């Protein structure tokens, strides 16, 4: 994994490919790679859809090896949604395949003049780019079927749906899973629109003939991988809860904790929660012949994923994640699991961020455009996005735009990005992360639910401001580092609680690269990544004013605890003081 593939989509005479050594970016992977390239090579003040922006696709440092859980791929660029730097990562097969092909990053640069759609095929023999306008406006599912027919079923795909082609700010980039379904998305921040602005509809990867990446010290690596896997299996979250019920195990937990935002962040509990909980979802999946436990890529041992079948027992979509079930469920007052699953399918197919879309629909409900609880009207709105009607384009531009167009004050966004499924008043550590992360409101950037609610890695009272700054800061630093390894973030539950599992992760990195990484090096690495991202945002015009929650979170208490967000502005400004 020592090459960088650059494709200049705006070159005179058509896209131009160049392959060069990793050079200055040696030692970086995943988020560290995407943020380093964007920070160094993209003018911070550029328009996100202009030729000056770049889309960087990078497997993690351990991707392509035999290390368990190492299949995350990072996508990075200047975000059309936030206007700041963005890294959004996804599971599925592409990270492993790209890494085995030897690429530390694929960088799409420039922008083509016309409106042609391009298909990029990468295998051991090189890169082939062709114009293929028959792919225009295809949904991700049909697109992947066409790629299978053309290239066989040993491929992995990275693609955009109609939303990305329309350059909507909620558009995602889809990655195929083990069954070649486009179900794993780099959802946040509208990076599908950046791929669309480059004219690229799909990147097809085929690693036939390439072996697994070999570590520098195979014996140490093998032992570390076993210790790491054993550690994940013995932790109650990674070994039991996530495999059994998927991420949606959180619905009942957050609802009981009063931190489940309902009816556009008006209440912290939802009367319909039990009907859309992970327990209900898993039972339905099993009963209908789907799968309640499944890995999104080879080498996943937690297996939080699944497949959801309709009432007739036919595949409908992958197991909708907690945040997806919430954004269309509690946020919109909907408690019909089948309708939510249909929305999940539509969004995967159209290529949309499920969080941003659900929150935008909740904001539209608050405006009176449709009624809270109206699942069919929600489904129709998502279809309108896919068709590109004017109303669909408004909703597909995200919650902030929807709120502006329809005159809504209560719009739950930070830096223009919709808040996920944890109310920042009832889970105050998450409020600190939403406010201060470089990414806009993003739960994965510093998942304080661990210590606030789950009592993983200690306990910090979720309803009080004390301790939240340190909690969020430490999690943001650790997350930036983990997002660079290619490891799924869910390993964090085990490594926060079990020092020997954290050591096994360090041993994996050290055995792979011949390094001597320690806990302190991980912290330094995480800080370096956040520093680059923060610097980019500053140069793009962000100030401390963007590190704030909307005012109403400070003035409108949320039931049942009747609390407001109480962390002071001056304390938020200390998160990046180290
Ligand atoms: S734990 Fe879940 S999200 Fe993570 S790699 Fe496995 S299936 Fe994918």
């Amino acid at each position: 994994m020592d090459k960088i593939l650059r494709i200049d989509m705006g070159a005179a005479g058509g896209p131009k490919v160049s392959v060069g050594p990793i050079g200055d970016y040696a030692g970086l992977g995943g988020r560290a790679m995407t943020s380093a390239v964007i920070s160094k090579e993209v003018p911070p003040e550029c328009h996100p859809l202009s030729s000056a922006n770049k889309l960087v696709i990078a497997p993690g440092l351990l991707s392509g090896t035999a290390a368990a859980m190492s299949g995350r791929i990072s996508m990075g660029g200047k975000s059309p949604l936030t206007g700041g730097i963005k890294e959004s990562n996804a599971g599925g097969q592409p990270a492993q395949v790209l890494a085995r092909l030897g690429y530390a990053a694929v960088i799409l640069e420039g922008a083509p003049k016309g409106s042609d759609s391009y298909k990029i095929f990468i295998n051991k023999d090189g890169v082939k780019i062709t114009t293929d306008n028959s792919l225009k406006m295809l949904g991700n599912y049909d697109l992947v079927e066409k790629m299978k027919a053309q290239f066989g079923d040993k491929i992995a795909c990275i693609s955009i749906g109609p939303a990305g082609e329309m350059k909507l700010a909620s558009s995602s980039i889809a990655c195929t899973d083990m069954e070649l379904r486009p179900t794993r998305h780099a959802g946040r921040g509208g990076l599908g629109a950046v791929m669309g602005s480059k004219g690229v509809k799909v990147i097809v990867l085929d690693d036939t003939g390439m072996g697994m990446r070999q570590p520098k010290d195979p014996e140490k690596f093998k032992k570390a991988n076993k210790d790491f896997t054993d550690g994940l299996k013995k932790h109650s979250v990674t070994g039991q809860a996530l495999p059994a019920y998927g991420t949606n195990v959180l619905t009942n937990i957050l609802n009981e904790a009063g931190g489940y935002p309902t009816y556009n962040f008006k209440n912290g509990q939802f009367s319909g929660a039990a009907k859309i909980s992970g327990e209900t979802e898993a039972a339905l999946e099993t009963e209908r012949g789907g799968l309640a436990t499944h890995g999104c890529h080879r080498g996943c041992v937690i297996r939080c994923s699944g497949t959801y079948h309709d009432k007739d027992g036919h595949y409908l979509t992958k197991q909708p994640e907690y945040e997806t079930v919430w954004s269309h469920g509690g946020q919109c007052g909907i408690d019909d699991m089948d309708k939510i699953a249909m929305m999940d399918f539509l969004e995967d197919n159209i290529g949309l961020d499920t969080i941003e879309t659900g929150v935008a629909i909740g904001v539209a409900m608050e405006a009176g455009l449709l009624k809270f609880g109206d699942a069919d009207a929600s489904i129709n709105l998502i279809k309108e996005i896919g068709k590109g009607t004017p109303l669909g384009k408004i909703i597909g531009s995200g919650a902030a735009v929807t709120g502006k167009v329809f005159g809504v004050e209560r719009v739950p966004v930070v830096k223009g990005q919709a808040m996920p499924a944890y109310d920042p008043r009832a889970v105050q550590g998450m409020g600190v992360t939403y406010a201060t992360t470089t990414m806009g409101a993003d739960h994965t950037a510093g998942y304080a639910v661990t210590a606030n609610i789950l009592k993983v890695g200690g306990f910090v009272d979720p309803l009080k401001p004390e301790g939240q700054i340190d909690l969020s800061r430490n999690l943001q630093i650790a997350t930036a580092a983990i997002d660079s390894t290619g490891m799924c973030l869910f390993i964090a539950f085990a490594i926060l609680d079990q020092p020997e599992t954290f050591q096994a992760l360090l041993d994996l990195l050290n055995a792979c690269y011949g390094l001597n990484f320690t806990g302190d090096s991980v912290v330094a690495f995480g800080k370096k990544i956040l520093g680059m991202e923060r610097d980019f945002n500053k140069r793009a015009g962000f100030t401390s004013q963007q590190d704030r929650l909307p005012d109403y979170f400070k003035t409108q208490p949320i039931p049942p605890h009747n609390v407001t967000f109480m962390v002071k502005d001056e304390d938020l400004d200390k998160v990046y003081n180290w």
Side-chain angles (χ1 to χ4, degrees):
M1 216 170 74
D2 53 3
K3 308 178 281 188
I4 292 198
L5 167 63
R6 289 178 188 268
I7 305 176
D8 180 357
M9 295 302 300
K16 186 168 164 252
V17 172
S18 60
V19 179
I22 192 166
D24 289 350
Y25 300 120
L28 304 181
R31 177 172 170 183
M33 174 65 82
T34 63
S35 289
V37 174
I38 298 305
S39 165
K40 186 172 172 195
E41 300 185 16
V42 172
E45 70 284 358
C46 77
H47 192 288
L49 302 178
S50 72
S51 59
N53 198 6
K54 301 189 181 197
L55 181 69
V56 186
I57 302 171
L61 287 165
L62 290 166
S63 301
T65 69
M69 310 299 304
S70 62
R72 296 299 286 196
I73 192 161
S74 291
M75 319 275 179
K78 176 168 173 170
S79 165
L81 189 75
T82 69
I85 199 163
K86 174 57 66 180
E87 184 267 355
S88 185
N89 59 64
Q93 283 299 105
Q96 308 285 29
V97 177
L98 195 56
R100 282 171 198 154
L101 286 165
Y103 295 107
V106 175
I107 306 177
L108 302 181
E109 309 179 322
K113 291 240 166 3
S115 58
D116 282 335
S117 242
Y118 290 93
K119 175 173 70 191
I120 300 173
F121 178 69
I122 307 173
N123 70 357
K124 69 177 174 29
D125 300 321
V127 181
K128 200 172 163 202
I129 305 177
T130 40
T131 310
D132 190 344
N133 289 322
S134 74
L135 307 181
K136 271 184 186 284
M137 296 302 272
L138 280 183
N140 281 311
Y141 274 87
D142 283 347
L143 174 70
V144 169
E145 283 307 310
K146 273 193 119 168
M147 295 305 102
K148 268 162 75 176
Q150 187 172 352
F151 298 105
D153 59 6
K154 300 280 182 283
I155 54 170
C157 296
I158 299 171
S159 64
I160 56 170
E165 290 187 68
M166 290 187 279
K167 304 182 195 76
L168 298 179
S170 297
S171 57
S172 63
I173 298 177
C175 293
T176 47
D177 59 16
M178 284 200 289
E179 290 76 26
L180 255 177
R181 289 168 172 157
T183 58
R184 317 308 302 186
H185 288 236
R188 310 242 58 197
L191 290 176
V194 179
M195 189 157 157
S197 73
K198 308 295 180 203
V200 177
K201 177 74 175 167
V202 59
I203 301 172
V204 181
L205 306 165
D206 183 349
D207 64 352
T208 304
M210 303 296 291
M212 212 172 260
R213 286 179 61 215
Q214 293 306 315
K216 283 234 161 84
D217 184 339
E219 280 313 308
K220 187 175 171 186
F221 188 86
K222 200 171 159 193
K223 177 173 184 325
N225 202 21
K226 181 173 182 316
D227 293 347
F228 183 63
T229 305
D230 289 347
L232 294 174
K233 286 188 177 155
K234 81 173 181 208
H235 193 274
S236 62
V237 176
T238 51
Q240 291 156 30
L242 284 172
Y245 304 116
T247 55
N248 199 18
V249 70
L250 287 162
T251 293
N252 280 335
I253 295 171
L254 265 294
N255 197 52
E256 276 160 30
Y260 188 75
T262 303
Y263 299 108
N264 195 29
F265 286 77
K266 280 202 199 76
N267 202 315
Q269 287 181 320
F270 181 41
S271 58
K275 289 170 75 179
I276 57 171
S277 69
E279 291 81 346
T280 302
E281 189 179 2
L284 272 177
E285 285 165 350
T286 307
E287 188 185 306
R288 294 173 177 181
L291 291 171
T293 307
H294 169 265
C296 74
H297 70 81
R298 287 187 191 93
C300 168
V301 295
I302 299 176
R303 308 208 305 149
C304 79
S305 177
T307 50
Y308 191 95
H309 286 192
D310 64 17
K311 285 186 176 119
D312 300 323
H314 300 125
Y315 173 85
L316 174 56
T317 188
K318 96 287 191 178
Q319 179 181 86
E321 303 274 356
Y322 166 63
E323 283 76 15
T324 304
V325 175
W326 161 79
S327 73
H328 295 299
Q331 162 72 359
C332 295
I334 292 169
D335 61 8
D336 185 326
M337 198 59 229
D338 285 331
K339 299 269 169 76
I340 291 170
M342 172 56 80
M343 292 187 238
D344 180 77
F345 162 74
L346 288 169
E347 286 160 347
D348 279 357
N349 202 30
I350 296 165
L352 287 165
D353 176 8
T354 58
I355 296 173
E356 195 68 44
T357 308
V359 174
I361 292 172
V363 169
M365 286 173 166
E366 172 129 358
L369 191 71
L370 63 169
K371 286 199 173 66
F372 278 106
D374 192 338
D376 291 329
S378 299
I379 288 172
N380 282 337
L381 260 190
I382 297 168
K383 287 181 178 169
E384 292 217 32
I385 303 175
K387 287 186 216 147
T389 65
L391 177 59
K393 284 188 173 182
I394 291 168
I395 305 292
S397 297
V401 167
T402 301
K404 260 189 196 154
V405 171
F406 294 105
V408 177
E409 184 213 341
R410 300 179 69 264
V411 182
V413 299
V414 178
K415 299 182 178 76
Q417 182 168 286
M419 279 180 201
Y422 314 87
D423 195 284
R425 293 160 288 193
V427 194
Q428 306 236 339
M430 287 308 300
V432 175
T433 296
Y434 293 163
T436 59
T437 166
T438 49
M439 298 292 151
D442 177 355
H443 60 295
T444 67
Y447 192 63
V449 174
T450 47
N452 275 178
I453 304 291
L454 302 174
K455 298 189 178 158
V456 167
F459 176 66
V460 177
D461 188 334
L463 303 175
K464 295 188 175 146
E466 290 80 23
Q468 310 295 358
I469 297 292
D470 286 346
L471 174 65
S472 175
R473 178 193 296 122
N474 292 337
L475 288 167
Q476 289 194 51
I477 292 168
T479 302
I482 293 172
D483 284 346
S484 305
T485 61
M487 288 284 166
C488 174
L489 191 56
F490 296 146
I491 66 163
F493 295 108
I495 64 173
L496 280 169
D497 270 349
Q498 300 166 184
E500 70 281 9
T501 312
F502 178 57
Q503 185 57 47
L505 173 64
L506 293 177
D507 290 346
L508 276 171
L509 283 162
N510 290 336
C512 186
Y513 286 92
L515 296 169
N516 203 7
F517 243 47
T518 61
D520 287 347
S521 341
V522 170
V523 170
F525 189 44
K527 285 179 179 174
K528 186 176 153 194
I529 298 160
L530 293 177
M532 289 188 294
E533 293 171 350
R534 188 97 175 146
D535 177 61
F536 181 93
N537 282 356
K538 201 170 160 196
R539 289 183 286 129
F542 285 53
T543 68
S544 59
Q545 289 314 300
Q546 276 75 45
D547 288 344
R548 301 286 182 261
L549 300 186
D551 277 348
Y552 71 89
F553 286 100
K554 296 181 216 161
T555 57
Q556 297 178 16
I558 188 163
H561 299 295
N562 296 315
V563 280
T564 56
F565 182 64
M566 289 177 286
V567 180
K568 293 194 180 78
D569 288 354
E570 58 261 37
D571 291 331
L572 291 175
D573 292 339
K574 290 178 192 154
V575 169
Y576 285 83
N577 288 351
W578 51 63

